[in-house]
Amino acid sequence: MTKKEFICRRLALLKKMEPSSIILIFSAPIVIRSNDSAYPYRQNSDFWYLTGFNEPGAMFGLIKDSNNYHKSLLFNQSYNQHAHIWGENHIGQEAARIKIAVDYALPWEQINDHLYLFINGLKTIYHVKGQYYFADQILITALEKLRQGQYNNLSVPKFVLDWRPLVHELRLIKSSSEINLLRQAGRISALGHMRALKNLLNGMYEYQIEGEIQYEFSHYGARWPAYNTIIAAGENSCILHYTDNSSLIENGKLVLIDAGCEFQGYAGDISRTFPVNGVFNTPQRFIYNAVLDALMLALTLYRPGTNISTVTKEVINLLVHRLVQLKIMKGNIQALIRDKAIKQFFMHRLSHWIGLDVHDSDYYSKDENRILEPGMVLTIEPGLYITSNSHAPSEYHGIGVRIEDTILITSNGNENLTSIAVKNIDEIESFMLNRKEL
Ligand SMILES: [Mn+2]
């Protein structure tokens, strides 16, 4: 990602800001795993989107004055030779000003002494309240200083607005360099699934397949998964966010794998469901093909001009027809659709946006009617989950299938970013049959 691209994003954001406003975006804190061991550091996606700066203890600011002049601002941790030896790698203000291309870079340790002076006289502050406690405290300190200084010509902004709608609107449409990274994230994620398929054997533990996938991610330069890997054998596949990955993988069962890497900040997201012994039995085959046909239908429907909710309706229509045919659901098809009866077997969304976050931007939770445009990237993930306490015929009990691809909306349809992971029954079975020779 070039410096120019980060600057373009800031200019686009400035256009959306009110005159006489400042936007405050804080970097993510370090998260402790246990005692003094931290989780691998992951930057806040919005902070990263505007800066490409990967340090904790930082704040990025954009100021647009009443004449629409603008300035950029960074508070970041100071360079410290002693801390550097222990692995705390802060580049300091001088280097940051050039590397991040900001007008001002000031020491993070002095943010309470300086931030209020940048806010002074402006009308609006953009800040996400409640995101980080430390960030709220910093802002409250700045506002207190302004209030106390009202007799000395300091003035307090009138409005505090949430910047997320502005930034997330920008993040929704991907640039060509973002698309490139998402293509690679999709490809590496798909290769991870192929390695899992190559090594899947009964008698393994689920976490061993997780390790195979992680091996492939690392091999291709993606150090971390974009989310906790799900390896769900047998009835575990009916637990949507199963991440224990601790069970024995038994013969005759299916294994549902939902795993994607993070490549240079961008997420891959893909699910496949494979038969442990290399062959789908008849009930597994029926359920699998219903889900696969739902995915293939959505792949033909997703294009500019439609929306997630329209495609979801078509997919549900198909799934209900299939489940009635299989006698898993009973009753009038239109009534079943109207009553959302499918929810007992398909209880999650069909699609979500993806980008720097696997569930990208605010939109995934509420904007299923958003008209699709080229440059949007989203998943398609139909699933059917038949637990052993369901009313379905017993031969289907314990079968959970999810098949998921990530797509880019293009000018005339979509591009599948995860297609190299096989998903047709014939392809899966013949791959597993021939894998000893691979
Ligand atoms: Mn997903």
Side-chain angles (χ1 to χ4, degrees):
M1 205 63 68
T2 60
K3 211 191 268 188
K4 198 174 152 208
E5 178 146 358
F6 289 109
I7 292 168
C8 283
R9 292 170 180 176
R10 294 175 203 170
L11 292 173
L13 179 57
L14 279 159
K15 273 196 189 147
K16 293 176 178 288
M17 289 166 62
E18 300 282 336
S20 187
S21 66
I22 182 169
I23 189 162
L24 311 176
I25 305 189
F26 289 84
S27 70
I30 291 170
V31 182
I32 294 296
R33 180 168 183 271
S34 176
N35 190 17
D36 57 355
S37 295
Y39 282 106
Y41 183 68
R42 173 55 159 81
Q43 187 53 278
N44 175 289
S45 294
D46 296 302
F47 183 90
W48 174 264
Y49 182 77
L50 292 163
T51 63
F53 187 52
N54 202 33
E55 291 190 20
M59 190 215 86
F60 174 71
L62 274 179
I63 300 159
K64 178 177 183 176
D65 73 14
S66 48
N67 299 313
N68 289 336
Y69 286 115
H70 53 82
K71 283 176 259 178
S72 56
L73 160 71
L74 183 77
F75 284 96
N76 66 320
Q77 296 194 60
S78 298
Y79 176 78
N80 174 327
Q81 204 178 4
H82 178 73
H84 187 81
I85 290 165
W86 287 89
E88 274 190 42
N89 202 0
H90 306 306
I91 63 171
Q93 287 70 47
E94 223 176 283
R97 206 172 52 76
I98 296 156
K99 193 175 172 214
I100 314 304
V102 285
D103 298 313
Y104 305 96
L106 295 161
W108 172 252
E109 304 78 24
Q110 296 168 17
I111 192 165
N112 287 332
D113 304 327
H114 297 293
L115 180 60
Y116 76 101
L117 294 169
F118 288 95
I119 298 173
N120 179 35
L122 297 170
K123 242 193 233 156
T124 303
I125 301 175
Y126 290 95
H127 172 72
V128 179
K129 283 180 274 186
Q131 184 178 38
Y132 301 127
Y133 179 74
F134 71 87
D136 290 350
Q137 292 304 110
I138 287 168
L139 179 57
I140 287 166
T141 303
L143 293 175
E144 276 170 359
K145 289 198 176 215
L146 291 174
R147 244 173 228 124
Q148 285 159 8
Q150 283 184 96
Y151 303 108
N152 296 320
N153 284 332
L154 296 181
S155 76
V156 189
K158 279 203 178 72
F159 308 106
V160 180
L161 301 177
D162 190 331
W163 47 254
R164 283 175 298 187
L166 278 53
V167 177
H168 291 178
E169 178 64 27
L170 296 175
R171 282 177 56 190
L172 190 56
I173 309 285
K174 272 65 178 179
S175 71
S176 60
S177 50
E178 290 187 291
I179 288 168
N180 241 331
L181 294 177
L182 283 161
R183 272 199 192 106
Q184 295 190 63
R187 186 178 143 269
I188 297 166
S189 302
L191 288 168
H193 283 253
M194 291 310 287
R195 187 178 171 95
L197 184 58
K198 193 170 155 184
N199 291 288
L200 175 62
L201 285 174
N202 73 59
M204 291 176 90
Y205 282 90
E206 293 163 334
Y207 55 78
Q208 293 176 304
I209 290 296
E210 181 180 7
E212 295 291 341
I213 289 174
Q214 186 56 50
Y215 175 96
E216 202 73 354
F217 290 176
S218 302
H219 182 78
Y220 288 100
R223 270 195 77 189
W224 316 114
Y227 52 95
N228 290 331
T229 295
I230 296 170
I231 312 286
E235 183 137 9
N236 292 338
S237 61
C238 297
I239 304 167
L240 296 182
H241 287 162
Y242 173 82
T243 52
D244 284 356
N245 299 353
S246 56
S247 299
L248 194 67
I249 298 174
E250 290 173 72
N251 218 1
K253 299 288 168 65
L254 297 176
V255 180
L256 189 159
I257 301 174
D258 186 342
C261 72
E262 181 174 293
F263 184 74
Q264 294 183 21
Y266 286 80
D269 189 5
I270 164 167
S271 304
R272 291 291 183 265
T273 307
F274 300 133
V276 175
N277 59 4
V279 182
F280 289 85
N281 67 29
T282 306
Q284 290 168 350
R285 189 173 290 261
F286 283 144
I287 301 299
Y288 189 90
N289 275 331
V291 177
L292 182 62
D293 290 349
L295 173 60
M296 299 313 280
L297 173 67
L299 278 169
T300 67
L301 295 174
Y302 270 128
R303 60 180 61 247
T306 186
N307 58 38
I308 293 173
S309 125
T310 305
V311 175
T312 302
K313 277 185 197 133
E314 294 294 331
V315 161
I316 286 173
N317 186 45
L318 181 149
L319 288 174
V320 171
H321 273 89
R322 290 301 185 82
L323 292 189
V324 168
Q325 267 171 18
L326 295 173
K327 301 193 165 53
I328 292 172
M329 288 171 87
K330 290 191 184 90
N332 175 280
I333 286 181
Q334 290 318 314
L336 290 168
I337 292 171
R338 188 196 59 219
D339 298 342
K340 300 188 165 62
I342 194 74
K343 284 240 174 268
Q344 58 182 309
F345 302 113
F346 173 43
M347 54 295 275
H348 56 77
R349 290 162 194 281
L350 179 67
S351 295
H352 57 77
W353 311 119
I354 179 168
L356 283 169
D357 286 300
V358 64
H359 295 160
D360 210 37
S361 81
D362 259 3
Y363 286 99
Y364 83 93
S365 60
K366 56 187 178 203
D367 209 326
E368 301 215 324
N369 296 315
R370 174 79 186 227
I371 299 295
L372 297 177
E373 297 166 42
M376 292 176 170
V377 180
L378 63 155
T379 63
I380 312 173
E381 47 185 310
L384 288 173
Y385 313 91
I386 303 170
T387 55
S388 43
N389 57 14
S390 90
H391 297 302
S394 61
E395 67 260 38
Y396 297 110
H397 285 187
I399 297 180
V401 173
R402 178 162 66 254
I403 317 173
E404 173 179 29
D405 279 323
T406 297
I407 61 164
L408 161 72
I409 300 296
T410 58
S411 57
N412 56 357
N414 65 70
E415 175 187 332
N416 190 339
L417 308 185
T418 49
S419 62
I420 59 169
V422 295
K423 56 179 178 274
N424 287 322
I425 283 187
D426 290 350
E427 288 173 325
I428 293 169
E429 290 183 345
S430 76
F431 183 93
M432 292 183 84
L433 186 68
N434 296 317
R435 62 189 172 167
K436 290 199 179 63
E437 293 129 47
L438 290 173

